[in-house]
Amino acid sequence: MTELNIRDVEYTHAGTRLLGLHCAPEAAVDAPTVVLLHDAFGLADEMVSIARRIALLGFSVFAADIWGDRATPGQQHELGPLIGAMVSRRATWIERVALAHEVALAQPGSSRARPISLGYCFGGSSALEYARSGGDVRAVIAIHPGLDLIEFDWSSVEPERAPAALVCFGADDPMATPEQWRRTKANMSAAGVDWELHLYSGTVHGFTSPRAADSPDPETVMYHPRNAARAWRATEDFLIELRDGVRF
């Protein structure tokens, strides 16, 4: 069984203390790097579990802390101000995501090659927004990202360095409408992105998170175990292709 090294990594941005997590196989040398961007609930147990699963595939995983001090808000009313603070200061948001990628590449055992950016929910929005704005990533994986938070212009991406992309949505997600994902597809194609888009019927936002199983607003956010498993299999397959060089 693969043994993992797991340790906290403290770093700072604009005076804010950030506490990320590095997770990698014990014997990792030049392992491909994944930057895991958390959902609105922060770098909590669910994200740590995902980091471990990805590391067991042979990756060096840096789970970023976007909120600061590893805040893990537990109540719905706490989420809006945190997300709003990033979206209203887009430059700060992108700087913080970019710093996470820099810190990830500096971790022991990590390859210095372009990293893979992977995010859930708000983290999926962050991953897409970073790649869209010219972040130098090999690939981007976004699971139920809020497309209502991001812009659609991918012209900052250099075609010769355009990333591969996997995006998984609920077909009924009010935060990622058909018009929004059509614009995302069109602009990724124009930028030369090698993309996959997975749509799951009867599924809304936040469908991979067990904490949404008792959602007070099931037409907006609701856990969908079957499609959560499907999205994980798609993610795993995509990562393995990247690890094994099937994708550039």
Side-chain angles (χ1 to χ4, degrees), residues 5-84:
N5 280 331
I6 302 173
R7 60 188 180 83
D8 293 337
V9 179
E10 185 172 338
Y11 58 118
T12 60
H13 175 257
T16 298
R17 174 182 177 266
L18 306 169
L19 187 60
L21 185 82
H22 182 235
C23 184
E26 196 170 62
V29 176
D30 204 30
T33 304
V34 171
V35 181
L36 178 61
L37 300 169
H38 60 68
D39 61 12
F41 293 98
L43 183 49
D45 290 347
E46 188 176 327
M47 291 294 116
V48 173
S49 176
I50 291 168
R52 292 175 61 91
R53 293 172 76 180
I54 296 169
L56 287 170
L57 296 175
F59 292 89
S60 172
V61 183
F62 178 67
D65 175 16
I66 302 299
W67 297 151
D69 282 322
R70 200 175 286 180
T72 54
Q75 302 298 320
Q76 196 69 32
H77 70 269
E78 300 177 79
L79 306 183
L82 289 168
I83 295 171

Side-chain angles (χ1 to χ4, degrees), residues 119-182:
Y120 286 75
C121 193
F122 173 76
S125 304
S126 300
L128 285 173
E129 188 68 358
Y130 179 62
R132 182 201 67 76
S133 61
D136 196 19
V137 292
R138 181 184 175 198
V140 56
I141 301 170
I143 310 300
H144 51 77
L147 295 185
D148 55 341
L149 301 180
I150 65 176
E151 297 178 0
F152 296 96
D153 180 7
W154 284 68
S155 61
S156 294
V157 176
E158 299 177 14
E160 64 275 11
R161 295 182 72 79
L166 168 67
V167 189
C168 298
F169 296 117
D172 301 322
D173 187 344
M175 301 177 195
T177 66
E179 174 58 25
Q180 289 168 337
W181 49 256
R182 277 194 290 268

Side-chain angles (χ1 to χ4, degrees), residues 169-176 178 181 199-205 219-220:
F169 296 117
D172 301 322
D173 187 344
M175 301 177 195
W181 49 256
L199 282 172
Y200 304 111
S201 66
T203 305
V204 292
H205 195 66
E219 293 185 359
T220 301

